[in-house]
Amino acid sequence: MDAVPCRPSLSSELIDQPLADPEVPDACLVFDTVLARRLAQAKALLDRLERDSDSRDFSALAAARIEFAQASRAVADDLLGRGLG
C-alpha cells in the first residue's frame, strides 16, 4: 500500500478560509424578553456594585451576585427546555 504524502497546510491558508455557518437551533433564535431583561438588570446592578469601591455594601454585593447567578440559570433552563443542549 502506497502512502500519499500530505502537503503541510500553511497558516495563511487556514486563516483565509471562511468558516461554515453552524446550524443554529430554533431555541437560539428566540430569547424570552422577561428573562433577558432580568439577566441584564442583574448584570448592570452587579457591575455597578463591583465598581463602587467607596461604599462597599458586601451584603448587597452578595445579593447581586446571587441574583445574577439565578438569572443566568433561568436563561439556561429556558434554553434547555427549548431543546438546546
Side-chain angles (χ1 to χ4, degrees):
M1 222 176 185
D2 291 336
V4 177
C6 292
R7 173 177 75 89
S9 61
L10 301 174
S11 62
S12 63
E13 290 177 1
L14 297 176
I15 292 172
D16 292 338
Q17 294 177 3
L19 295 175
D21 289 333
E23 287 188 36
V24 177
D26 290 339
C28 290
L29 300 178
V30 178
F31 206 80
D32 186 320
T33 56
V34 172
L35 292 176
R37 186 173 293 114
R38 178 184 176 193
L39 183 59
Q41 289 173 344
K43 176 71 166 104
L45 175 61
L46 181 58
D47 286 348
R48 189 171 64 247
L49 290 172
E50 286 178 337
R51 279 193 308 266
D52 189 12
S53 60
D54 292 338
S55 63
R56 281 287 181 160
D57 183 353
F58 292 111
S59 62
L61 186 58
R65 287 179 175 152
I66 291 169
E67 172 56 21
F68 179 71
Q70 290 175 337
S72 299
R73 286 187 68 115
V75 169
D77 288 344
D78 182 61
L79 292 174
L80 287 172
R82 294 177 191 212
L84 182 66

